[in-house]
Amino acid sequence: MPIKKICCIGAGYVGGPTCSVIALKCPNIMVTVVDKSKERIAQWNSDKLPIYEPGLDDVVKKCKGVNLFFSVDIEKGIREADLIFISVNTPTKTFGNGKGRAADLKYVEGAARMIADIADEDKIVVEKSTVPVRAAESIMNILRANHKPGVSYQILSNPEFLSEGTAIDNLLNADRVLIGGEDTKEGLAAVEELCWVYEHWIPRKNILTTNTWSSELSKLAANAFLAQRISSINSLSAVCEATGADVSEVARAVGRDSRIGPKFLQASVGFGGSCFQKDILNLVYICECLNLPEVAAYWQQVIDINEYQKSRFSAKVIGSLFNTVTDKKIALLGFAFKKDTGDTRESPAIHVAKTLLDEGAKLHIYDPKVESAQIIEDLTYAIDDYHVKKSVSLYNDAYSATAGTHAIVVCTEWDEFITLDYKNIYNAMMKPAYVFDGRNILDHDKLMKIGFEVHSIGKQMQRCGVKRTWGSMNQM
Ligand code: NAD
Ligand code: UDX
């Protein structure tokens, strides 16, 4: 029986875009995205979607009300669907056993229990959320222990690989779709049903099928590998700063090896986002539980280097500003964890802002897409209400944010920061005027010619327009 109705539990960064693209590419399937948050569903049903993602508005406009629906009627969504995606959040646990490392599966379990309570026909249940290896077994246990008479379930793992900011393109042109299922007649049939959905637009050769546990582990592994590359290049950025090597040149040379490849070698203030840290911590926890301490320690280093990089960058800002930023005005350009998203989860900007606020700085913050309320919420959580009220001002553009400041700190690689009129900005700043480019996106030579003192990641410190060489550094 081909799938006619899909329900997705969780209308977040994954559930919303993924189901919008499924609806776009499968006009014969009715797709309903449900969420327990009335506010989030109301936003999906309004003209201002709850998340900023290039291309998403167009896709939603084409399908909403046709074969794509957003609803808080979870019961109806589950009852009517042939196939149900569980796309709820799986944050790091903040309490109890595994605190700070294990994934909190309470939302996944909640979704599984709702399905068991409501479903009165057979369902294919698909784990879309990122989960620990063998989580599908727990879902299956809950469903099979609570099922209504005559109702049976197949559980599939179908992790999502989209990146925020490029989600629509990633979904339309996925490198691969991964589907894991049970090696039984019913399991393989369920895998085929989900393959059929994706085959509406993804070539069959790009749809990989595996056993359930391989699929679950592959998702954690992919994120761990990607983050590992960033931590590797970031660790070398420290070597570059100490020696006079240039991290961009090193990345270019290393990435030219076709076995290594050029992507994900951009040195930065550190990686952020809701996935990398959470998923690696989860992997580390799993390894510890499996009594594999050496493997756990290996992956933990990816996180440790990221923390080191964020602290190193913040310390560089303070050190360069004569070791004191107390009462200095500092413009923070960018608050999102990467460009083309309004998401701030685990954004390195929060770490940098907190460190500077702790040292008494006054922050002028501008981000093109992050809502002001989100910035205030993040900083209030990271530091406290008093500091935020006293020392944080938010701006609607980079020019007003930088006027009268001692330094600019670029935390997000937004394209618009590259083309700002830095001559005008320089004229309106305190002198000496500093730029700390935490993303290596600016034209440093041009900035130095204007008169800025420029600091970047993995390139030697450049003072008053003069590039200090390793030799001259040694003589200082
Ligand atoms: P999110 O927080 O944006 O959205 C999750 C949604 O689930 C929320 O709106 C929440 O209200 C809803 N929810 C939770 N429990 C519910 C329940 N019982 N019933 C109905 N709604 C419920 O999370 P996200 O970023 O979309 O991530 C979802 C999952 O996908 C996570 O496991 C994450 O690791 C994974 N993932 C995320 C990304 C990403 O880029 N954000 C990429 C790949 C995978
Ligand atoms: C990541 C994975 O890429 C995606 O496959 C998975 O589904 C979810 O997690 P996301 O976190 O949305 O996606 O964005 P990503 O592009 O991976 O960037 C993560 C962080 O790494 C950002 O802070 C980004 O700025 C940083 N980054 C990325 C670097 O610092 N250097 C790079 O070379 C690449």
Side-chain angles (χ1 to χ4, degrees):
M1 282 283 289
I3 307 293
K4 290 200 184 74
K5 286 191 178 175
I6 288 178
C7 171
C8 175
I9 304 176
Y13 284 88
V14 168
T18 307
C19 284
S20 301
V21 167
I22 292 177
L24 179 76
K25 291 294 178 182
C26 307
N28 48 341
I29 299 179
M30 196 70 82
V31 182
T32 305
V33 187
V34 296
D35 203 290
K36 61 184 181 183
S37 161
K38 281 192 186 125
E39 196 191 345
R40 216 163 205 189
I41 290 297
Q43 286 174 311
W44 280 107
N45 283 323
S46 75
D47 287 337
K48 190 169 183 295
L49 302 184
I51 60 177
Y52 171 70
E53 191 61 62
L56 178 64
D57 276 20
D58 288 346
V59 177
V60 173
K61 256 184 211 138
K62 278 186 191 139
C63 307
K64 200 160 65 179
V66 181
N67 67 331
L68 175 65
F69 300 90
F70 294 93
S71 170
V72 281
D73 193 344
I74 301 178
E75 193 169 331
K76 181 165 179 270
I78 291 175
R79 181 163 290 120
E80 293 184 349
D82 310 307
L83 182 147
I84 300 165
F85 283 113
I86 298 181
S87 190
V88 299
N89 35 332
T90 48
T92 304
K93 270 187 90 172
T94 53
F95 55 89
N97 215 358
K99 176 182 170 183
R101 289 172 310 150
D104 190 343
L105 293 182
K106 70 178 172 199
Y107 302 109
V108 173
E109 178 170 342
R113 287 190 184 277
M114 277 192 314
I115 296 170
D117 280 351
I118 295 164
D120 39 27
E121 282 173 19
D122 295 354
K123 308 280 178 202
I124 297 174
V125 177
V126 184
E127 250 178 17
K128 181 58 93 182
S129 299
T130 305
V131 289
V133 197
R134 296 195 85 94
E137 198 169 34
S138 315
I139 298 177
M140 183 50 92
N141 286 341
I142 290 167
L143 291 175
R144 290 189 179 152
N146 295 286
H147 73 113
K148 293 191 181 153
V151 177
S152 70
Y153 296 99
Q154 282 304 317
I155 315 295
L156 302 179
S157 160
N158 173 220
E160 184 47 62
F161 295 100
L162 67 79
S163 297
E164 289 177 30
T166 53
I168 298 300
D169 184 54
N170 297 154
L171 288 162
L172 290 173
N173 305 299
D175 287 344
R176 81 311 209 175
V177 165
L178 179 57
I179 302 175
E182 266 182 25
D183 192 10
T184 58
K185 186 166 152 267
E186 296 77 14
L188 295 173
V191 168
E192 275 314 303
E193 300 246 34
L194 186 54
C195 285
W196 174 81
V197 173
Y198 283 110
E199 274 181 276
H200 281 75
W201 78 100
I202 303 286
R204 181 71 198 218
K205 66 176 172 40
N206 292 349
I207 303 178
L208 311 183
T209 56
T210 64
N211 80 35
T212 315
W213 324 132
S214 304
S215 172
E216 290 175 333
L217 182 57
S218 299
K219 174 63 202 177
L220 297 181
N223 274 354
F225 272 57
L226 289 167
Q228 180 197 45
R229 284 174 70 96
I230 303 169
S231 279
S232 296
I233 199 72
N234 281 345
S235 73
L236 292 173
S237 72
V239 179
C240 289
E241 285 163 37
T243 59
D246 178 323
V247 77
S248 305
E249 292 175 354
V250 174
R252 186 152 57 97
V254 171
R256 272 299 180 91
D257 186 325
S258 59
R259 294 168 301 175
I260 297 172
K263 294 182 183 166
F264 266 68
L265 290 179
Q266 173 67 45
S268 66
V269 52
F271 60 73
S274 65
C275 294
F276 281 171
Q277 176 171 302
K278 161 176 87 71
D279 294 346
I280 296 174
L281 287 171
N282 186 7
L283 181 61
V284 168
Y285 183 70
I286 291 168
C287 294
E288 283 173 1
C289 293
L290 294 171
N291 199 19
L292 300 169
E294 292 82 0
V295 186
Y298 175 75
W299 289 110
Q300 179 64 44
Q301 270 300 307
V302 174
I303 301 287
D304 293 349
I305 286 289
N306 199 48
E307 289 303 311
Y308 166 71
Q309 187 75 349
K310 289 186 279 186
S311 302
R312 209 169 70 78
F313 181 72
S314 309
K316 188 202 293 218
V317 175
I318 296 164
S320 307
L321 294 174
F322 313 108
N323 274 319
T324 174
V325 291
T326 309
D327 290 332
K328 282 185 181 152
K329 291 179 185 158
I330 299 179
L332 221 73
L333 296 188
F335 203 78
F337 80 95
K338 63 184 279 197
K339 73 172 180 177
D340 293 338
T341 179
D343 194 351
T344 60
R345 289 177 291 180
E346 302 298 339
S347 177
I350 299 173
H351 182 111
V352 174
K354 179 185 172 354
T355 311
L356 295 176
L357 286 170
D358 277 339
E359 292 287 334
K362 306 276 183 207
L363 296 187
H364 293 202
I365 304 179
Y366 165 64
D367 187 284
K369 284 292 170 198
V370 179
E371 305 280 349
S372 300
Q374 187 63 53
I375 298 177
I376 298 298
E377 186 185 322
D378 288 337
L379 291 180
T380 305
Y381 184 76
I383 183 160
D384 59 53
D385 192 41
Y386 169 76
H387 272 86
V388 174
K389 285 207 173 98
K390 188 169 98 102
S391 306
V392 175
S393 315
L394 305 179
Y395 292 85
N396 290 325
D397 68 275
Y399 295 102
S400 48
T402 50
T405 60
H406 294 81
I408 297 171
V409 179
V410 177
C411 285
T412 314
E413 72 280 23
W414 286 101
D415 289 341
E416 69 170 66
F417 298 158
I418 300 171
T419 51
L420 292 170
D421 181 343
Y422 282 98
K423 181 99 186 93
N424 270 345
I425 287 178
Y426 178 79
N427 290 337
M429 284 177 67
M430 307 285 284
K431 308 292 175 325
Y434 292 79
V435 170
F436 299 90
D437 184 358
R439 296 290 184 164
N440 285 357
I441 52 167
L442 305 181
D443 182 338
H444 301 148
D445 285 340
K446 197 170 150 194
L447 291 176
M448 284 191 295
K449 276 192 196 120
I450 290 172
F452 281 105
E453 169 139 350
V454 181
H455 297 265
S456 57
I457 303 272
K459 293 165 199 263
Q460 216 163 56
M461 205 164 75
Q462 299 162 7
R463 191 180 288 276
C464 301
V466 181
K467 222 177 205 171
R468 283 202 279 161
T469 64
W470 192 46
S472 63
M473 255 181 87
N474 281 347
Q475 286 153 26
M476 284 184 178

